[in-house]
Amino acid sequence: MFRIHICILFFTISSGISGQHIPRITNFSFSDYKAHHQNWGVVEDDMGNLYSANTMGLLYGNGNTWETYKLRFNKTVRSVAHHEGKIYSGSYGEFGYWEKDKCGSLVYWDLTENIDVESFENEEVWNIVSDEGSIWFQSFSLLMVYDGKKFSTIQLPGAIMFLHIVNGKKYVQSLENGIFNIRDDLTITLLEGSSFFNDKIVTGILPYNSPESLLITTNNHGIFVLNKGKVYPWNTAYQNHFISIQINKAFITKDLKLILGSINAGAYVFDMSGKYMYHFNTGNGLQNNTILSIYENKTGDLWLGMDKGLAKIHLSSDALEFNDKSEKYGSVYTAIQKDSTFYLGTNQGVYFYKNENVSKDDQFSLINGTQGQTWQLFEVNGKLYCGHNEGTFLIEDKEVTRISDLTGGWYNEVIPGSDGKLWLQGNYTGLAVFKLENDILTYSHKIEGYPYPAKKFIFKNEHLWVASPNMGLLKLTLDINKEKVVQQKNYEVSMGLPNGSNIDLYVFKDKIRAYNGENHFVYDDQADRFRKDTFMNSFVQGFLVRPLQDEYWLRVYHDHTILMKDSNFLEYNAVTLTKDYHNIVRIKENRYLYCLEDGYYLQTLSDTSKNNVNKNPNIQIYLSLENQKCLRNEDVSFPLNQSSMTLHFFDYDFEKGKQYFYRLLPTQNEWKSTHSTSHIDITNIAAGDYTVEIMRNDGVKGVMNFTILPPWYASAFAKIFYLVVIGLVIFFIIKYHENQLAKARQKFENEQKRLVKEHQMEIENQLLVQENRLKNKELANTAMQLIKKNEILKEIKSELIEIRKSSHHTLTAKDFQIIMKQINNNLTLKKDKELFDDSFEEIHYNFLTKLKAKFPRLSKDDMRLAVYIRLKMPSKEMAPLFNISLRGLENRRYRLKGKLGLEKEDDIIIFLQNIEESITT
């Protein structure tokens, strides 16, 4: 009978849980993180990096990259803890810590050699606990504390289970002797009443209500409260269930939720009063039911280390999921909350359960008669209707009545201006009108003129916009009675809307908008055409738009959604909406249901979603080079000889479906998709200053600036050196040219002076020549005058003598004597000759000197003759100067020519002039 009771209770809990709404689960399998499937412990550091004690080694993750760091001999890491910036790990016969180097890689420091314990190499460190300034580690027979300098050993009463720290106090269970408290002096005392647990394996010791109370979980005996020496069961309604699931780990979150990790049934969440909240198992999304470790991160989410994989439970989010991994209900297409009943429309029919709160556990039941594809559930005047593959149905008290045989009731909406009396339906064969009569919706008629499928339509400004799977986007004008189409306009390429088929139609900010699978378009009322939607196209493309309410709207990608408020990002959710329909329905107030392939997702609109609290808003970036040098924002310059580089990025956000885009400014202004979710390889980049921007598909960004230094010969220092050298070269060239110019100028000036002087000398020489010529002429004239004077006087004297001799003269002797005396006094032939000779020699000194030096045998008369010949004086003028006849002069001239060494035919005048010219030059 007892066994039957346990089985019934277990079935009741499990059955209720199968239809449960739970926080979203993100699973990471060993194929994701490329390590062993077993994860014995999980912890995060202050930045948000994840570390797991994995069978293969220490597993590290940063949200984008997973790495496994192995110990010597490939030992299994059994335990892990974060303490004062270091990651401590325990293994078989080994204990140590890990620190990051500049490149972000973990470096291991083995502390084993500092442990003075015999046979420590045979111990396996299963548990590490951080407490203030100390780190505690244990095996099943050894417990030690390390203060950063030395190890201290605690004397134990026997084999122990895990150490637990509760409100600063340390507790440990001895399998044979109860639970002990370890005092500050490292001595131990037995807790009163703890002998109750002697035959039980204690898996968790937790705080409970008061400082004197402890909540104690056991492996297969249930959960108890130990208070002042007394022990009593906790949550007796679930005690037998706790016994059956084998509790392996227990944890209390910051907001006082009790997390139980089991060996065979996954993880449970209770509040501290014992109220059941959630159960996570393989039936609703968990990839394994054996929980080996539990950890709460700084954002309030849970990490579960399992026998197969890791799981992140988004416990901090107010959103909930309903997972139908068994495909019991099919893909969800629509839902509605009516009164206390929740209805779900799937491709297998309409299901329901009665509950005041949609978040409560319950089982869905199929409404008979609705089997098949359900498209839309909608309410009119308090009655529920279903647009179905086989027509349109009225659902009352779980009874179904067909009100139309028109197949494929895709979409139904009230016709504006009809006071709610007329409803329009888009179906497989066109458009149909339903009337509200006696508070019941009945089929009225089909609209003529549009016989095509109508998957989605929108009423706007007295027009009906229809998105047809085959016809594209059309604007229809109906007659006043809504019986036929009176005008139809198809919007295709000529109207600014390419790819007319499979258009997604929506209204955002009171504007008709459309999406063709590549770009978003907005309707321009004035131009009656579509243009590209600048606002929508400013986001990472590839999304549908689902308006929600007010400024809230949703970007729907193929494997995730992004909740927006105006242009602001609010929340990222890795959920996949039902393909080709992507429906989101408003359940009540600000709560929305996302229709998924394997269930649905419930989200409450909020500007301050708990799911975003304390999340790092930036993408972290660092750069590594070929030589493995790593550069972060404080040191991001390197030489050009690095031919390639890798930009690593991460965001500490452990989500799936993330996509990244980057651009490298100033060379690349357009966003490019990354080939990896963790790094970008860049090659063949020139020297210069760059900015790399990395953007996640939800708009979160990271920025890094770096500088590629030019080669040494093109560096700033080299350029300065070049400028200095060039300056010096230019300076010396200028100086050289200045010196050359100065020399040339001086030379020119000297030459000019010389030429001027020579010119002056030439002028002076010419003047002298002219003067000499004048003087020669004057001298010759004077000589001639003197000669003539003397000749006249001689003639007069001769005549007087003759007169004196004649007898006919009257001249007395005395008068004769007087006249003769006067004539003799004026006959100065000798004196005149001396004066003439002195003047002659003075005027022709250079010529005479040169001539004498060249022809020393010349006499004084020869030299005088040479001068007269040079002056081209006629022979008849020269003869008197020598007081000889012309014949005598010719003879003398002939003899001079011989003395000068001239032949008979040689011209003596030219010869003598050449001598004169040699003197002047």
Side-chain angles (χ1 to χ4, degrees), residues 503-516:
I503 294 292
D504 189 72
L505 183 66
Y506 62 99
V507 175
F508 182 76
K509 292 191 175 181
D510 203 37
K511 290 280 189 181
I512 293 287
R513 300 173 193 255
Y515 177 65
N516 71 337

Side-chain angles (χ1 to χ4, degrees), residues 271-333:
D271 68 14
M272 293 307 292
S273 68
K275 181 181 178 182
Y276 165 76
M277 298 180 69
Y278 310 118
H279 178 204
F280 306 97
N281 60 15
T282 54
N284 60 12
L286 209 61
Q287 58 186 328
N288 184 252
N289 280 335
T290 300
I291 310 301
L292 301 179
S293 57
I294 304 171
Y295 179 80
E296 181 185 18
N297 67 13
K298 61 183 179 181
T299 65
D301 294 322
L302 288 181
W303 279 99
L304 302 180
M306 297 173 291
D307 193 53
K308 290 185 179 180
L310 288 163
K312 181 180 179 181
I313 310 296
H314 296 260
L315 204 62
S316 65
S317 174
D318 51 14
L320 297 173
E321 272 187 329
F322 175 84
N323 289 307
D324 180 25
K325 299 298 182 183
S326 64
E327 299 182 356
K328 178 179 179 180
Y329 305 112
S331 299
V332 177
Y333 282 81

